[in-house]
């Protein structure tokens, strides 16, 4: 699965494929969101998701609560420090970001995730998907003042990618950088 391979540090990826699958099912069933994919020789080369996922996250948390807890307990049992740190980091970040992020969500939409198959990375596909999304789905974006994105971590490569695609730095919360288009 593209998501698991291209975003291994994403908490949903670390918990496992069932969470990613359920997230995508919920996302795609919500008509207020926008998902765009690119095929290459009948293979999914990449996709980008725009919208809001607060309700999706709540549904996934309730539906897959035991999967999430099991994943955390397994990481404790096997002393997987990276995964334990990611769980704790994510919980702290969610607590610290809620108020400021809710202000953004009033008039803006979010670029929630962009995934590019490892075979197609560093070839301009991510930039292509963003530009084509804005160009071809104006009916979706005209409902909002801006599009914002938050990085998984403060990583110069990620920030440079978004700046190259006309996103501007907004602020930073607990190691995540927010940018807007």
């Amino acid at each position: 699965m593209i998501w698991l391979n291209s975003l291994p540090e994403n908490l949903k990826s670390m918990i496992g494929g069932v969470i990613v699958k359920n997230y995508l099912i919920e996302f795609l069933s919500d008509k207020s969101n926008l998902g765009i994919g690119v095929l290459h020789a009948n293979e999914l080369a990449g996709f980008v998701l725009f919208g809001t996922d607060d309700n999706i996250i709540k549904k996934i948390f309730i539906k897959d609560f035991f999967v999430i807890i099991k994943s955390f307990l397994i990481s404790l049992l096997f002393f997987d420090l990276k995964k334990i740190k990611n769980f704790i980091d994510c919980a702290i970040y969610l607590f610290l970001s809620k108020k400021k992020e809710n202000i953004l969500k009033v008039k803006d939409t979010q670029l929630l995730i962009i995934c590019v198959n490892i075979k197609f990375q560093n070839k301009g596909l991510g930039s292509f998907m963003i530009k084509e999304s804005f160009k071809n789905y104006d009916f979706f974006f005209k409902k909002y003042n801006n599009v914002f994105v938050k990085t998984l971590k403060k990583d110069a490569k990620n920030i440079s990618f978004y700046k190259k695609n006309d996103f501007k730095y907004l602020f930073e919360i607990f190691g995540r950088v927010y940018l807007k288009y």
Side-chain angles (χ1 to χ4, degrees):
M1 180 182 274
I2 292 174
W3 186 320
L4 299 174
N5 293 330
S6 67
L7 298 170
E9 293 184 17
N10 176 277
L11 186 60
K12 294 173 196 76
S13 296
M14 292 179 94
I15 295 170
V18 69
I19 296 293
V20 172
K21 178 184 160 206
N22 290 341
Y23 178 91
L24 288 170
I25 289 168
E26 290 293 333
F27 178 88
L28 294 170
S29 68
D30 184 340
K31 301 301 179 210
S32 66
N33 290 327
L34 176 65
I36 298 155
V38 173
L39 295 174
H40 179 269
N42 292 327
E43 178 183 10
L44 186 61
F47 64 89
V48 61
L49 306 179
F50 295 95
T52 182
D53 66 358
D54 290 346
N55 290 333
I56 295 169
I57 298 296
K58 287 176 192 169
K59 285 180 183 177
I60 297 295
F61 188 76
I62 292 166
K63 180 179 177 187
D64 295 316
F65 179 77
F66 291 110
V67 172
I68 296 165
I69 295 301
K70 178 182 172 188
S71 176
F72 180 68
L73 291 175
I74 288 171
S75 65
L76 287 174
L77 181 67
F78 290 103
F79 208 60
D80 185 342
L81 292 178
K82 184 177 180 181
K83 205 169 182 180
I84 294 166
K85 181 193 173 300
N86 201 1
F87 271 105
I88 294 168
D89 180 71
C90 188
I92 294 169
Y93 160 73
L94 289 172
F95 176 75
L96 294 175
S97 68
K98 202 67 174 162
K99 185 176 182 181
K100 204 162 189 177
E101 196 169 292
N102 283 343
I103 293 168
L104 284 175
K105 291 178 181 177
V106 171
K107 296 180 183 174
D108 299 341
T109 192
Q110 184 177 355
L111 189 165
L112 294 164
I113 195 149
I114 184 166
C115 288
V116 176
N117 185 317
I118 291 172
K119 293 191 295 191
F120 301 106
Q121 287 182 1
N122 300 313
K123 296 180 180 175
L125 184 59
S127 295
F128 172 79
M129 288 189 301
I130 290 173
K131 286 178 175 62
E132 288 299 306
S133 297
F134 292 148
K135 185 172 106 180
N136 294 316
Y137 296 91
D138 185 52
F139 67 89
F140 176 81
F141 296 106
K142 71 181 179 183
K143 300 181 278 188
Y144 305 100
N145 290 347
N146 300 294
V147 177
F148 76 94
V149 65
K150 60 186 170 199
T151 62
L152 287 175
K153 59 185 176 182
K154 188 174 181 178
D155 178 29
K157 187 177 174 183
N158 287 348
I159 296 164
S160 173
F161 168 78
Y162 288 114
K163 285 184 173 181
K164 180 179 80 172
N165 286 288
D166 299 322
F167 283 79
K168 308 292 183 234
Y169 177 89
L170 279 173
F171 54 83
E172 189 177 323
I173 298 175
F174 202 69
R176 276 84 168 168
V177 176
Y178 285 72
L179 301 103
K180 76 174 179 175
Y181 179 86

